[in-house]
Amino acid sequence: MECLDHAPQLADPEGCYDTFLKIAAYLIEQSTPPGGVDWQDSVTGLPSLFPSTLSQSVLDERLDDSQLRSVLGRSGELASCHSDYHRWTLLYKIAWRTQNGERALMGDILDPDVRELDRLAHTVRRDIHKMKAFVRFKRLQDDNQERYIAWHRPDHRILRLAAPFFARRFGSMRWTIFTEHESVSYEEGSLVFGKGIPASDVDNVDEIEELWKAYYRSIFNPARIKINAMVKEMPRRYWSTLPEADIIQQLLDEAPSRVRKMIEAQTHGEGAAAFLPDDPVSLPVLQEHAEHCAGCGIAEMATRTVFGEGPQKAPIMLIGEQPGDEEDRVGRPFVGPAGQVLNRALEAAGLDRSELYITNAVKHFKYEPRGNQRVHRRASAREIRACSHWLNAEIAQVQPEVIVLLGAAAGQSLFGAGYRVGAHRGQTIDHQRVASKIVPTIHPSMVLRSTDSDRSSVFQDLVNDLRHAAEILGARDLQDELG
């Protein structure tokens, strides 16, 4: 950035927004109008045309840029990273106007300068989003230590704005991100910026690239693919740095046949079976695949898949019906009103929720839109059957000693459509297929639906059944100790 004409200027600040604010504050103090300044960008390679008569220390001592920073706000910071040659001219013009009688300028959305500032800021904000989505690290050995590197081609100078995100996201790794203009390295909690390099200079050896491709292939859902939307969100200019780009066309070519298989799976009652991984080695692997399940129609209306949560080898598993409205928004089971009831009941029964595995028979929220509300609808027997593959896989991974069935849908997922809470509650069922003791009980939402006079006794019934599950577990532990 170079400020020309008659205004003093410090050495080339290389497009730094903080330095721009200092210079702008100085120029406004000197009553230099926008027409009296010619801003140039250091990345053009032009040498500084100004003597260093005004040092950085002098600027820091003499000038307070806090007012300009506040006036321009986040939009000013974002726009300063745009590649537009005229961005500094625009920013100074707006800064000058706000300090010379137009205090409310930034609130005038019809003003041409403000609209242009918003456009630049929006473009940069979108470029930051793309960088967060499309950076792919490659693993290298550096002095016998692992280091991850990535090369990205942003449209604008966004590295300094995006770097804190990667520091938070990958805080346990040593990594470097290169761009053409700049680079940033993260190590031991610090970000260090350096020079950029061309993509051809980045080592292309990637030990985990094939693993990433296999993962991407496993989660690719051909039923939801929209080519135009995909290319819009993932422009082809980013494909050269994405390992999965090598197989995108192949997956697109295979999509029609995979969609047919998915339809056949739903038609013949296979449901979620078509989406299970070939080797479900852990709960996280199951969850990753479940997020792309379309084994029944509920998935199309839900916001997200709500998978189970809890320890991999929890001694007790609780199975509910399906996520509710709040669970669908948050992405966790039993966090809404029924979840609050369950938490109180668990505490009363002497059980610690963090030590249990809690899930639902159906992994998506089925509802009916009514105005601004989403009213819960019961899952059908076919939908419960279609989703039972995920539940069975969860049980196989957790291998609980006791399973508590919260409501009818949970029981139907294991015993079929003939299961009824009233007929089975109070029993302890031996289920040979899952090698667990089964304790049927009511769903916590039944407490919420009870009348005021009955609510206390219904809640106590739930507590008693949960306490019974804990007693079964305790008896098993004692039996194991006695041999």
Side-chain angles (χ1 to χ4, degrees):
M1 179 200 312
E2 295 175 359
C3 171
L4 304 183
D5 205 86
H6 302 294
Q9 162 72 349
L10 73 164
D12 188 353
E14 299 184 357
C16 174
Y17 183 59
D18 291 341
T19 304
F20 162 78
L21 291 174
K22 293 289 186 184
I23 299 172
Y26 172 81
L27 292 174
I28 291 173
E29 182 183 273
Q30 299 299 311
S31 300
T32 306
V37 185
D38 184 13
W39 299 89
Q40 294 182 355
D41 199 323
S42 63
V43 297
T44 61
L46 296 175
S48 176
L49 301 182
F50 290 90
S52 56
T53 55
L54 190 60
S55 67
Q56 182 72 53
S57 61
V58 171
L59 283 175
D60 290 339
E61 291 173 2
R62 291 179 51 189
L63 297 173
D64 179 9
D65 64 2
S66 59
Q67 187 173 11
L68 285 185
R69 188 182 300 276
S70 176
V71 168
L72 295 175
R74 179 63 171 171
S75 293
E77 183 180 14
L78 290 168
S80 72
C81 298
H82 201 282
S83 58
D84 192 320
Y85 178 85
H86 301 291
R87 68 192 184 285
W88 302 118
T89 300
L90 174 68
L91 284 167
Y92 183 65
K93 184 178 180 182
I94 293 176
W96 168 267
R97 291 176 61 187
T98 61
Q99 303 305 303
N100 286 272
E102 298 184 61
R103 296 289 183 182
L105 175 63
M106 290 296 289
D108 184 0
I109 60 174
L110 298 180
D111 183 87
D113 291 336
V114 175
R115 290 177 62 185
E116 178 63 9
L117 179 69
D118 288 343
R119 184 188 70 81
L120 297 184
H122 174 77
T123 303
V124 170
R125 189 179 290 110
R126 184 170 179 81
D127 203 30
I128 294 172
H129 169 73
K130 296 296 185 187
M131 181 172 182
K132 293 177 181 179
F134 299 137
V135 162
R136 296 289 184 268
F137 286 104
K138 300 174 182 289
R139 184 172 59 188
L140 299 176
Q141 289 296 124
D142 178 15
D143 297 329
N144 296 321
Q145 297 185 55
E146 279 189 339
R147 173 173 289 278
Y148 292 81
I149 65 170
W151 192 89
H152 183 66
R153 184 183 289 108
D155 293 329
H156 308 286
R157 302 174 183 88
I158 60 171
L159 190 60
R160 290 177 183 263
L161 294 181
F165 165 82
F166 292 97
R168 293 191 300 270
R169 185 74 176 271
F170 304 105
S172 62
M173 294 165 43
R174 300 168 65 238
W175 52 261
T176 301
I177 300 176
F178 296 98
T179 69
E180 289 182 326
H181 302 298
E182 195 173 21
S183 66
V184 60
S185 296
Y186 180 82
E187 188 169 354
E188 298 182 352
S190 298
L191 290 169
V192 179
F193 293 87
K195 294 183 178 181
I197 61 174
S200 58
D201 289 350
V202 178
D203 193 337
N204 61 8
V205 176
D206 187 4
E207 300 174 23
I208 58 175
E209 189 166 299
E210 292 305 316
L211 292 176
W212 170 253
K213 289 180 182 179
Y215 165 76
Y216 186 81
R217 181 184 294 276
S218 71
I219 65 172
F220 182 81
N221 189 343
R224 294 186 178 182
I225 194 67
K226 296 185 172 99
I227 303 299
N228 293 335
M230 186 188 77
V231 173
K232 181 179 179 181
E233 289 300 314
M234 187 170 64
R236 293 181 184 273
R237 64 178 177 276
Y238 296 121
W239 288 20
S240 62
T241 60
L242 300 179
E244 64 268 31
D246 292 343
I247 61 173
I248 287 177
Q249 189 58 54
Q250 177 187 354
L251 292 173
L252 293 177
D253 293 340
E254 296 172 353
S257 63
R258 293 182 65 185
V259 169
R260 285 194 299 271
K261 291 180 181 178
M262 289 162 56
I263 294 174
E264 291 172 1
Q266 292 191 35
T267 303
H268 293 93
E270 296 179 21
F275 300 88
L276 260 68
D278 295 333
D279 185 16
V281 293
S282 67
L283 288 170
V285 170
L286 284 174
Q287 183 172 0
E288 289 285 358
H289 283 73
E291 289 174 356
H292 303 273
C293 181
C296 71
I298 304 179
E300 295 299 321
M301 65 191 313
T303 305
R304 57 176 55 82
T305 301
V306 181
F307 206 69
E309 66 177 18
Q312 174 85 33
K313 297 299 180 183
I316 298 179
M317 173 184 281
L318 275 61
I319 304 173
E321 178 193 356
Q322 63 164 303
D325 180 80
E326 193 163 345
E327 287 80 5
D328 178 68
R329 300 180 192 278
V330 175
R332 296 180 56 213
F334 284 98
V335 294
Q340 300 307 311
V341 173
L342 178 61
N343 290 342
R344 289 194 291 113
L346 289 172
E347 183 178 0
L351 290 169
D352 185 345
R353 174 168 174 154
S354 67
E355 297 177 356
L356 312 176
Y357 189 85
I358 301 179
T359 189
N360 283 298
V362 176
K363 308 304 184 192
H364 293 99
F365 177 37
K366 183 178 181 179
Y367 64 90
E368 178 183 339
R370 292 183 187 174
N372 294 327
Q373 293 185 321
R374 302 190 298 175
V375 180
H376 167 274
R377 288 182 59 198
R378 187 183 299 274
S380 68
R382 187 190 69 79
E383 290 163 341
I384 294 173
R385 185 171 61 252
C387 207
S388 64
H389 299 283
W390 293 118
L391 182 61
N392 291 335
E394 285 178 289
I395 294 173
Q397 286 297 317
V398 178
Q399 297 180 1
E401 297 182 49
V402 182
I403 294 176
V404 179
L405 302 176
L406 302 171
Q412 291 169 8
S413 65
L414 293 183
F415 298 107
Y419 174 87
R420 296 291 183 271
V421 176
H424 293 85
R425 186 173 169 269
Q427 305 175 26
T428 301
I429 305 172
D430 286 305
H431 198 304
Q432 297 301 320
R433 180 166 60 83
V434 298
S436 303
K437 294 285 188 179
I438 308 294
V439 176
T441 188
I442 60 174
H443 193 278
S445 62
M446 187 173 178
V447 177
L448 299 173
R449 295 195 299 269
S450 300
T451 61
D452 292 343
S453 59
D454 294 336
R455 187 165 298 140
S456 178
S457 62
V458 174
F459 177 75
Q460 192 58 48
D461 287 342
L462 175 61
V463 171
N464 290 340
D465 291 335
L466 291 172
R467 189 173 289 141
H468 176 52
E471 291 169 352
I472 294 173
L473 182 64
R476 283 198 171 189
D477 291 343
L478 179 60
Q479 186 177 17
D480 291 341
E481 289 180 11
L482 296 176

